[in-house]
Amino acid sequence: MNNEVKKQLTLSLILLALLIATLFFWYPNFMFHTYVERLDYQYCLRGENDEFVVDGYQFYQDGQTQGYGHARITPLKSQVFKKNDEVTLTLILSREHQLSQKMKIQNDDQVVTLDEQESEDAFLEEDIQNAKLQISVNRQNKTTYDQTIELKNQDMLTYTSANKDYTLTNVYVTENWLKTGVFSSKDQDLAKEYPYMIINYMYSHEENHEVNINDYERFVYLKGKTEDFLNDQMEEIGYYDGQGSLFDMQLCCVITLMKSEDDLHPYTFTLPLSPIQKGE
């Protein structure tokens, strides 16, 4: 083997060693930003008639948890809900598959939010194609209202965001509804260093190439223990009742990490949210 071949072989071995070392040190960061595909689903239904708007009736599977409900029912006419009315809300998927919830109205014209119910059965998109919600109002032992509203599955996008240390995934958005996502961190000691945190979900009608938080309005506010955020135990639903569609707005999250609940000098940063288009 002549000297030139030896030099080339030595150089090749050095470059190979550098490549292996680079892959080794970047592997945790690569794994952190690699999202594992799960067989989850999320649907959001909406419907209305002359008396009510039904927003955000959801069906979902998140890991081992399956559920439905958590809809907002807004009266459009005065006195259609009165204090002490007994209301039965029945979701009709088919003649054989009907799900009912009952509640008592606390105030006149109350906006009602349904409880979220867990389900042993998974829901497929075809199961909810003909979904209806029957609203029955009983007032002083008389039925004052009994109508059925057709529910339509809304178009939905999944939003996500990440930097080198933190990610937000599975933020579900329709034109007027948002379900908060899952926060994670590469820092294994984050909950020890910052035991408390806040996530503000914000929207802006302006196109901001660089996030100027003064241009944004708060949409959903979440505050709790960092450990609960990291364990996916913090979740909220937001409804947008303004003009336009959330799809046309700039969305971002402001993350605040705190050493105590009244930390005067927290660590704050923003994570702009971007949609994952269908087919990606």
Side-chain angles (χ1 to χ4, degrees):
M1 183 179 297
N2 59 39
N3 290 336
E4 185 63 28
V5 173
K6 288 181 180 179
K7 289 179 181 179
Q8 292 293 337
L9 180 60
T10 301
L11 180 60
S12 298
L13 291 173
I14 292 172
L15 292 174
L16 179 61
L18 288 172
L19 176 62
I20 293 172
T22 301
L23 291 173
F24 175 80
F25 287 113
W26 275 90
Y27 180 75
N29 189 61
F30 171 76
M31 288 299 293
F32 175 65
H33 290 295
T34 300
Y35 309 133
V36 178
E37 188 71 22
R38 300 194 313 187
L39 297 177
D40 294 349
Y41 60 81
Q42 177 75 52
Y43 305 114
C44 178
L45 279 62
R46 186 181 189 278
E48 64 180 298
N49 62 10
D50 292 337
E51 290 79 30
F52 293 100
V53 171
V54 181
D55 272 323
Y57 205 119
Q58 64 165 332
F59 296 83
Y60 69 92
Q61 176 170 311
D62 184 2
Q64 298 300 314
T65 303
Q66 297 168 158
Y68 63 93
H70 208 293
R72 183 184 68 169
I73 300 172
T74 304
L76 298 178
K77 292 184 177 180
S78 180
Q79 305 293 297
V80 69
F81 278 163
K82 293 188 69 175
K83 184 177 180 180
N84 295 323
D85 283 352
E86 295 178 348
V87 179
T88 301
L89 300 153
T90 304
L91 180 76
I92 304 171
L93 299 178
S94 65
R95 184 173 297 179
E96 298 79 20
H97 201 172
Q98 302 186 14
L99 309 166
S100 292
Q101 297 184 44
K102 295 185 177 182
M103 62 183 59
K104 191 171 185 177
I105 300 299
Q106 303 300 317
N107 302 288
D108 290 359
D109 304 323
Q110 177 182 338
V111 175
V112 169
T113 301
L114 289 180
D115 293 333
E116 193 171 285
Q117 307 285 331
E118 290 194 2
S119 172
E120 295 181 357
D121 301 321
F123 294 97
L124 301 176
E125 188 167 359
E126 52 263 33
D127 295 331
I128 61 174
Q129 286 297 324
N130 299 307
K132 301 177 179 65
L133 184 68
Q134 181 181 8
I135 302 176
S136 180
V137 181
N138 187 285
R139 183 177 301 160
Q140 297 178 350
N141 297 320
K142 293 182 180 180
T143 300
T144 60
Y145 186 86
D146 190 0
Q147 297 291 332
T148 300
I149 300 175
E150 292 187 4
L151 302 180
K152 299 297 183 183
N153 192 18
Q154 291 189 278
D155 290 336
M156 178 182 294
L157 292 175
T158 305
Y159 283 64
T160 187
S161 186
N163 60 23
K164 65 184 182 66
D165 295 314
Y166 308 101
T167 66
L168 269 171
T169 58
N170 291 358
V171 180
Y172 296 105
V173 180
T174 73
E175 288 190 330
N176 64 332
W177 176 92
L178 180 147
K179 182 176 182 179
T180 60
V182 180
F183 175 81
S184 56
S185 172
K186 191 173 70 172
D187 183 356
Q188 300 298 316
D189 296 321
L190 183 69
K192 295 179 181 178
E193 186 177 2
Y194 296 102
Y196 300 94
M197 64 179 291
I198 296 170
I199 300 183
N200 281 300
Y201 284 76
M202 316 282 285
Y203 69 86
S204 173
H205 296 275
E206 305 295 330
E207 288 193 15
N208 299 291
H209 299 291
E210 294 184 4
V211 174
N212 181 351
I213 206 60
N214 294 322
D215 295 333
Y216 284 75
E217 296 184 50
R218 187 166 73 183
F219 187 43
V220 180
Y221 172 84
L222 281 174
K223 181 179 181 180
K225 294 183 178 180
T226 302
E227 183 178 5
D228 291 338
F229 278 97
L230 293 172
N231 291 331
D232 193 17
Q233 295 178 4
M234 299 294 293
E235 180 183 282
E236 188 59 80
I237 300 293
Y239 298 93
Y240 176 70
D241 296 318
Q243 297 295 316
S245 165
L246 288 176
F247 290 154
D248 299 326
M249 298 180 194
Q250 302 294 311
L251 303 180
C252 81
C253 285
V254 179
I255 314 293
T256 304
L257 300 174
M258 300 177 292
K259 296 182 181 295
S260 64
E261 287 191 89
D262 56 355
D263 191 347
L264 298 179
H265 302 285
Y267 173 48
T268 300
F269 60 94
T270 59
L271 286 175
L273 290 166
S274 299
I276 301 174
Q277 301 293 339
K278 295 179 180 179
E280 288 187 5

